[in-house]
Amino acid sequence: MANISSDFLGIKSPNPYWLASAPPTDKKINVLRAFEAGWGGVVWKTLGSQVKNVSSRYSAVNYNGTRVMGFNNIELISDRPLDINLKEIAECIKLFPDRAMVVSLMADNTKEKWHELISQVEDTGAHGLELNFGCPHGMTERGMGASVGQDPEIARMVVEWVMEKANIPVITKLTPNVHSVVPAGKAVVEAGTNGLSLINTIQSVTGIDLDTLVPNPYVAGKSVFGGYCGPAVKPIALKFLTTISQDPITSRVPVSGIGGISTWKDAVEFMLLGASNVQVCTAAMKHGFRIIEDLCDGLNNWMDEKGFASLEDFIGKSVPAITHWEDLDINYHHIARINQEKCIHCGLCFIACEDTSHQSISLTYGNPYNTYAIKEEECVGCNLCELICPVENCITMVESRKGDEYINWKEFQRRGIPLNDH
Amino acid sequence: MAIKNNRLPAGQYEENFSDIHPPFTEKEAALVEANRCLFCYDAPCTKSCPTSIDVPKFIKQITTDNIRGSAYTIFDANIFGGGCSRVCPVEKLCEGSCVYNLMHEAPIPIAKLQRYATEKAIAEKWPLFKRKELKNKKVAVVGAGPAGLSCAHVLSREGIDVAVFEKEEKGGGLMTYGIAAYKVTPDFCRQEVEFITSVGGIRIEYNRELGKDLFLNDLKNNFDAVFLGIGVGLARQLDIPGEKLNGVVNAIEFIYKLRSESFHLLPVGDKVAVIGMGMTAIDAATQAKRLGAKEVTIVYRRTQDEMPCTQKELDLARLDGCKVIWLAAPKEVIGKDGNVTGLLCSEMELGVADHTGRKSPVDTGRTFMLDVDMVIKAAGQMPYTELVHQNDLQNSNGKIIIQNNTTNINGVFAGGDCVNGGKEVVDGVQAGKDAAASILEFLTGDAGSKEESAFNSIDMPLPKI
């Protein structure tokens, strides 16, 4: 059995799965249930100044019958009294000393307020702090949350205040509501943050009720932009994570990966792109804490199969595989192949290619089943047919290089090779 | 043993004749299935539908909450789309060719989804169709069955007024009178006919029968064109001794009574033999069993490999407890005091294949006796040969011959069972559509000269009976 225990800035947990700062981690009863279920740690829902929540709070995007492909919330930071939160945090640490307890913070914008909050939290015995520079709604209007994370200089200043006081590891959570997370990431690393986490939620409008014409979530005839998360945001999170992993400054600190992680496969992908551990929220909100069982089990089996003894063996392994476009090998070519024995004649490959790609699939009429075949000389190897085909391994992409030599775009131009090769 | 009615307690009838294919009761359930649809291109299901309903499109429309659009997609191709969703042998049509079968997965329940999309439209009488500008033409349609009403609906949409003449007191044809009651209810059939005629421009005159109080020459004189969708109706005779005994009935009559009277009034025997293995035979057998017959035996002269009904239908009969005797042909109905007491059958064996490849049964000379008090004949239906001859319609053994949907008589068109000898409802619907297209061409005169020559080429002397 592989060792899936995790050490993030000295914060130990039996597995790399923490529950992200969110409703599942806002009180003792939930957190104890999560620990009993087997979660490696929690980031306690953000503590800060007094807030008041509204009703309703969530909305979702469903797709082709799958519910909550994307999830959206307009909740604020914890609306429970600070002293109760602090007392419960301490109790949870006592009951489950082997689990990670990180507390998310968002103090009012003064050094004193931050210092006061940090000192109160450290008294609970918490193992780390996560600075919420990402909340995209409600707190931003008060100059907190994402409005800190969106301005690298403000973020740098706040992290400097925090680092003056903090005795336990500090993780800064970045907002994705920027064109790049690197400037803010660099600023907070330079200011001394011990680690980073990303992404927070993405501002969104999930939909509109076509009867009332009011967008959701509905609050007395109005709505606001909310924070979007869940499986839909995973590819965006992976992109942001990669830019942090590839930057020489931000890559100095460990990253806790967040954004639509629902399965062990998602978690492995985050870790392959440089996350040292991962945080989960939406998947747990959809299915409950019991999903931790397969998150651990699947990871363990995959590691055994691949021969990875510990998480460190594969963290960051895929980072070098993401390169710049101009470095891609232009001589690489592959073409689609349809396995006629597996083909169910649905015609989806044909119509996609014919209408929207390269007219590289031929159709021979039959009743009721047509036959489809690849026109190999026309196929550009775009993958569209393979992506659309509903049968596993019916369409495969077969390598068929244009030349033996690696040639990238820069070299291609330098040599003046003609463009119209197909 | 006796043939009698009221065999079951009151509530049992309702249970026995309730819907055999219950509809989706929840939207979510329909969506789960609709979302499984792959949305095939040039879809095999559509190609396997005689009316070419765009199945992937109507299913997609269910998933987008566009039920009105979904219903339109179905009815535009098949105005009997509601009824067909209940009676079509989909296992050999759309669902039988669903690509999921090739993955060894359950096919999309197309019929059930089609019912889901059409049910509300019919019940709430959605005005899905508008008539085009009136063309000041009128067409007579004989027979308010699937072919006739489908033809009438297309013509009405095109702005042509249609008068439909129907010999029964209700419309729908075999849909109303010839299909087992657990597939479609009389109430549904009435609603379906109302829905079809709600487009306007279609007037149905009931209890008007061709050759009795309605004559083709009058129709030709009073209308711009005539469509004959008179169907088939006469049960094929067995031509064996004892066929006239009390207790020998034909399946169409039996189902007709079942559909037009209260279940408890319909008499059925203790032990019933059903002759034939088509859809009607299965319907008759299952309905007899559900009326309270103690034993029902289906007698078929070929084997399972040659049976005309689908496996699903056979399963239905077997699940109802009907017995099947393969390779047995009725030789004589035995009676006492004028009533049936038994059926003498010949044991058959398969001989050589005929020109269609189907092996013909050959009498072995051995016989056996079935102890029955009722015999239901379901050995196929005969065309209205006499009526067809009386009206000088060119025909083949009573089946009207058409070319481009037109008969040998100028301005008289035909389609459906009276032409093909008896196929599915959905085939009748398509025949009605095809004929409507030809009638439209004939009336609007665009292709008038071409049409004339088509008539001339088949206008030949008729053989005398």
Side-chain angles (χ1 to χ4, degrees), chain B residues 6 13 42 45-46 69 97 104-105 118-119 137 142 146 190 194 224 265 306 317 344 385 391 394 401 437 449 457 459:
Chain B
N6 265 317
Y13 286 104
D42 195 29
C45 49
T46 295
S97 66
H104 306 289
E105 295 286 332
T118 53
E119 201 149 50
K137 299 276 184 191
V142 184
R190 180 185 52 73
E194 282 172 14
D224 297 303
L265 294 178
E306 290 84 26
L344 185 67
T385 310
N391 286 288
Q394 195 184 1
I401 294 175
S449 57
S457 68
D459 200 1

Side-chain angles (χ1 to χ4, degrees), chain B residues 245-267:
Chain B
L245 288 166
N246 290 328
V248 181
V249 298
N250 80 62
I252 291 293
E253 251 168 49
F254 178 69
I255 292 170
Y256 178 104
K257 278 190 185 149
L258 188 77
R259 297 293 307 275
S260 46
E261 290 171 18
S262 297
F263 297 128
H264 69 277
L265 294 178
L266 193 69

Side-chain angles (χ1 to χ4, degrees), chain A residues 64-67 343-348 350-351 363 365-370 372 390-391, chain B residues 28 35 38-45 47-48 60 63 96-103:
Chain A
N64 276 5
T66 301
R67 291 197 162 260
C343 177
I344 58 167
H345 315 280
C346 65
L348 296 182
F350 169 80
I351 197 58
L363 182 162
Y365 279 98
N367 195 6
Y369 301 119
N370 300 338
Y372 301 98
V391 182
Chain B
E28 284 71 22
N35 277 312
L38 296 173
F39 200 49
C40 292
Y41 172 74
D42 195 29
C45 49
K47 285 156 104 173
S48 303
K60 188 82 173 169
T63 70
S97 66
C98 175
V99 299
Y100 273 113
N101 292 302
L102 304 177
M103 291 166 87

Side-chain angles (χ1 to χ4, degrees), chain B residues 19 34 56 91 100 102 142 151 160 223 238 276 285 309 388 435 441 453 460:
Chain B
D19 212 324
E91 58 274 20
Y100 273 113
L102 304 177
V142 184
C151 179
I160 291 165
F223 292 87
L238 302 173
C309 73
V388 166
E441 209 179 341
S453 64
M460 55 180 87

